[in-house]
Amino acid sequence: MTEHFVDVQNLSLKFQQKAVLRDLNWTINPGENWVLGGISGSGKTSLAKIIAGLQSAPGDVKIYFDRESLLPAETLFVESWYQFKNLEGVANFYYQQRYTSQQAKETLTVHAELVGYGKEKGLHFDQVEPILEALAFATFASSQLIELSSGEHKKLQLVKALWLKPQLLIIDQPYTGLDSASRKNLNILLDQVAEEGTQLILICNDIELPTCITSFAEIRDGQLVKVDALESSATEIHLREIPDFLKESPVYSSEDIVKMVNVNISYGEKQVLKNINWEVKAGEKWLLQGHNGSGKSTLLSLVNGDHPQSYANELYLFGNRRGSGESIWDIKQHIGLISPEFHWYFDPTATVWQSIASGFYDTVGLFQQLPYTKSIQVDELVEYFGLTENKNELLTALPLGKQRLVLLARTIIKNPELLILDEPCQGLDQQQTKHFNQLVDELCSNGMTLIYVGHFESQLPTCIEKRILLEKGEVKVVESLNTEILS
């Protein structure tokens, strides 16, 4: 057996005439498990795809699989997002489809997806059951793929990867969307497959890692640099001055932003939300939390007007009962929204500038000419977020972290009464996360209402003052920051 497992030599990559990787070299020895960290856009995902054979670039990549190992002699790359198709093999879904397709059976169920994967790879189904239990995913067997949240999609990706146990497993953002318990259990599972011979490359900037990790590296100026540990990149940030139009307090149409009275949501015999009572007043800053599958996404879909069952419940938005004559677009005029699912389904043909501008009209792309005053506001946000050199590029051509910044800018372009930020910092590096949360703090100091979803306690705005915790579709806790029970 050779002394190296992976040997990368003189790898170079340009993107739009800009050098991303410059004669990069990387040697991975047998038994080593790496974490590849560093700033967003440095080339981590591209490097991983090249090693996995999913992207070509000048240079030389050799992987010396152990032919005597019982593990599959292959490299599996787990993308940061899960790509799936409907039963006809098409992937052109739209955002609200997740909440309107429960009866249509448009995609495979989780069980059917796993059965097909097991047959393709020659795997025994009894071997996947402990993984499903460990990641609290066994109860999703009958769920359609389109019904899953971002965290649940990540779990499905991880289940398949841990079931296969290839000799080289590369996971891009392994903890994205996972709750605390799932992150801990994932690390245990990663340690187990590493013990059985799978070698890992994890692309992330997370601190809580499997104990099997032996080595750390970052990409700096196109070169791979080995480091003793991932260093925090969240240095002191000096924010540009916030644009004047965002310094003004939102004009509230009602003191009552959200009011839910005994709200219930069911799909057949499956009850997703049970007797939810919740009030959000103008100017309040809420943290919404709960394990994966607890009902957070469904709750937010009621608030932003996307869920069709909102009409069958006693739900008030911005002072009006849902179903009293207002359209979904009337509701969205009050709201700035970002979520992983919204990002998935955003218009792939929109430029950075168009994507931000579309926030004025709550569309997933810009389909009309902007008045001059609104164009100026877009330009101001482009500059504020440091996106000037990217403004005419396609959104999808940017690194994931910058894509998320663009959509974050889109959420605030109209200075909305309510910001709904559903895991807004997925894909951002530590510096970008700190930057955005500081912006949220500044915006909310002017009276904006906030509902923020986040699993990582260390990655939250400081302005948050209240928390609602869901558990299995029910309100478990409502509390203030000092944990004084409010209801």
Side-chain angles (χ1 to χ4, degrees):
M1 185 177 179
T2 181
E3 78 176 273
H4 300 325
F5 177 47
V6 179
D7 195 10
V8 178
Q9 296 292 327
N10 304 318
L11 198 64
S12 296
L13 180 67
K14 284 187 176 182
F15 184 73
Q16 295 185 344
Q17 306 306 311
K18 180 180 179 182
V20 178
L21 306 178
R22 310 168 189 264
D23 292 321
L24 182 143
N25 298 303
W26 190 8
T27 298
I28 299 177
N29 297 314
E32 291 181 346
N33 296 299
W34 287 72
V35 169
L36 182 58
I39 64 172
S40 177
S42 60
K44 303 186 296 295
T45 298
S46 294
L47 174 58
K49 286 184 174 181
I50 293 168
I51 293 173
L54 301 174
Q55 186 172 334
S56 61
D60 193 27
V61 176
K62 288 187 172 66
I63 302 176
Y64 300 95
F65 293 110
D66 182 359
R67 300 301 172 182
E68 298 180 1
S69 172
L70 296 177
L71 302 182
E74 64 178 277
T75 300
L76 177 64
F77 175 68
V78 178
E79 302 219 32
S80 57
W81 288 354
Y82 185 62
Q83 306 293 325
F84 63 94
K85 297 179 180 180
N86 65 15
L87 296 176
E88 298 177 350
V90 180
N92 58 337
F93 301 105
Y94 58 91
Y95 177 57
Q96 290 86 358
Q97 195 168 355
R98 178 183 173 196
Y99 307 109
T100 60
S101 64
Q102 277 76 17
Q103 307 303 321
K105 307 300 180 188
E106 296 171 353
T107 59
L108 290 174
T109 64
V110 169
H111 179 76
E113 176 77 2
L114 290 176
V115 168
Y117 185 75
K119 288 182 179 178
E120 175 190 347
K121 298 294 185 180
L123 303 172
H124 297 289
F125 204 85
D126 58 349
Q127 295 174 334
V128 77
E129 291 171 354
I131 304 171
L132 293 169
E133 292 294 337
L135 292 177
F137 201 55
T139 58
F140 290 87
S142 62
S143 298
Q144 289 190 68
L145 299 184
I146 197 173
E147 295 173 32
L148 302 181
S149 68
S150 63
E152 291 153 8
H153 275 294
K154 176 58 71 175
K155 285 186 177 182
L156 180 56
Q157 289 178 291
L158 294 168
V159 165
K160 293 163 79 172
L162 294 164
W163 187 15
L164 179 63
K165 288 184 289 192
Q167 289 191 32
L168 179 57
L169 175 55
I170 307 174
I171 309 180
D172 196 356
Q173 305 300 330
Y175 306 100
T176 293
L178 299 187
D179 57 57
S180 178
S182 296
R183 296 197 301 269
K184 291 177 182 177
N185 287 338
L186 172 60
N187 284 339
I188 293 172
L189 292 169
L190 290 172
D191 281 333
Q192 290 174 355
V193 296
E195 181 69 24
E196 295 179 49
T198 293
Q199 290 190 228
L200 304 172
I201 300 174
L202 307 182
I203 303 173
C204 65
N205 288 297
D206 298 280
I207 299 173
E208 298 176 12
L209 297 165
T211 58
C212 66
I213 296 299
T214 60
S215 309
F216 299 86
E218 296 180 355
I219 299 177
R220 300 175 186 169
D221 297 323
Q223 299 283 312
L224 188 108
V225 179
K226 188 172 181 178
V227 295
D228 292 332
L230 294 183
E231 301 174 2
S232 173
S233 61
T235 56
E236 186 64 30
I237 299 172
H238 299 286
L239 293 176
R240 295 179 176 91
E241 184 176 359
I242 196 168
D244 287 341
F245 73 93
L246 290 176
K247 294 178 181 178
E248 302 174 3
S249 177
V251 179
Y252 283 106
S253 53
S254 172
E255 180 66 21
D256 298 314
I257 303 299
V258 178
K259 183 178 179 181
M260 298 184 181
V261 181
N262 296 323
V263 167
N264 291 276
I265 299 293
S266 297
Y267 307 132
E269 296 181 358
K270 182 180 179 181
Q271 190 162 7
V272 180
L273 294 179
K274 306 173 186 176
N275 299 321
I276 301 293
N277 291 281
W278 185 33
E279 291 188 38
V280 177
K281 299 291 187 181
E284 291 182 341
K285 288 81 178 171
W286 284 86
L287 175 63
L288 170 59
Q289 288 188 313
H291 293 308
N292 299 126
S294 61
K296 301 186 302 298
S297 296
T298 302
L299 187 71
L300 291 181
S301 71
L302 292 169
V303 176
N304 63 42
D306 287 320
H307 205 293
Q309 292 189 38
S310 59
Y311 299 103
N313 282 279
E314 189 174 349
L315 169 65
Y316 302 86
L317 300 176
F318 307 99
N320 297 312
R321 178 157 183 172
R322 192 75 172 96
S324 57
E326 81 294 345
S327 71
I328 187 175
W329 304 112
D330 293 331
I331 294 170
K332 290 184 180 295
Q333 287 177 3
H334 303 275
I335 299 172
L337 165 73
I338 187 170
S339 70
E341 293 83 4
F342 184 80
H343 193 167
W344 292 347
Y345 304 131
F346 201 79
D347 181 6
T349 67
T351 66
V352 167
W353 197 93
Q354 292 168 338
S355 299
I356 296 174
S358 69
F360 282 118
Y361 306 109
D362 306 301
T363 55
V364 292
L366 187 62
F367 307 107
Q368 56 186 290
Q369 189 75 27
L370 233 59
Y372 175 76
T373 54
K374 284 184 167 63
S375 297
I376 294 300
Q377 291 178 349
V378 176
D379 289 337
E380 289 176 343
L381 269 190
V382 165
E383 182 179 358
Y384 181 81
F385 276 97
L387 296 165
T388 301
E389 66 177 19
N390 308 113
K391 71 176 185 178
N392 294 319
E393 296 178 33
L394 288 178
L395 176 68
T396 52
L398 269 58
L400 180 60
K402 278 197 172 183
Q403 289 185 41
R404 187 52 59 96
L405 285 180
V406 172
L407 295 184
L408 294 174
R410 178 190 179 278
T411 68
I412 60 176
I413 187 67
K414 61 185 178 185
N415 198 14
E417 297 166 56
L418 173 62
L419 270 183
I420 301 178
L421 305 179
D422 185 357
E423 299 206 50
C425 297
Q426 281 191 15
L428 302 190
D429 60 41
Q430 295 174 46
Q431 188 84 347
Q432 291 170 329
T433 296
K434 185 175 182 180
H435 182 188
F436 177 70
N437 284 333
Q438 286 184 350
L439 171 61
V440 173
D441 284 331
E442 187 163 357
L443 281 170
C444 290
S445 68
N446 294 328
M448 191 174 290
T449 309
L450 174 68
I451 300 175
Y452 195 108
V453 180
H455 290 299
F456 292 88
E457 301 295 342
S458 61
Q459 297 180 359
L460 300 174
T462 60
C463 66
I464 291 173
E465 57 194 18
K466 298 184 178 182
R467 182 174 79 119
I468 178 171
L469 174 66
L470 297 185
E471 186 175 298
K472 297 180 179 179
E474 298 182 274
V475 175
K476 186 71 174 178
V477 175
V478 177
E479 60 185 1
S480 66
L481 280 180
N482 63 4
T483 68
E484 175 188 356
I485 302 300
L486 300 177
S487 67

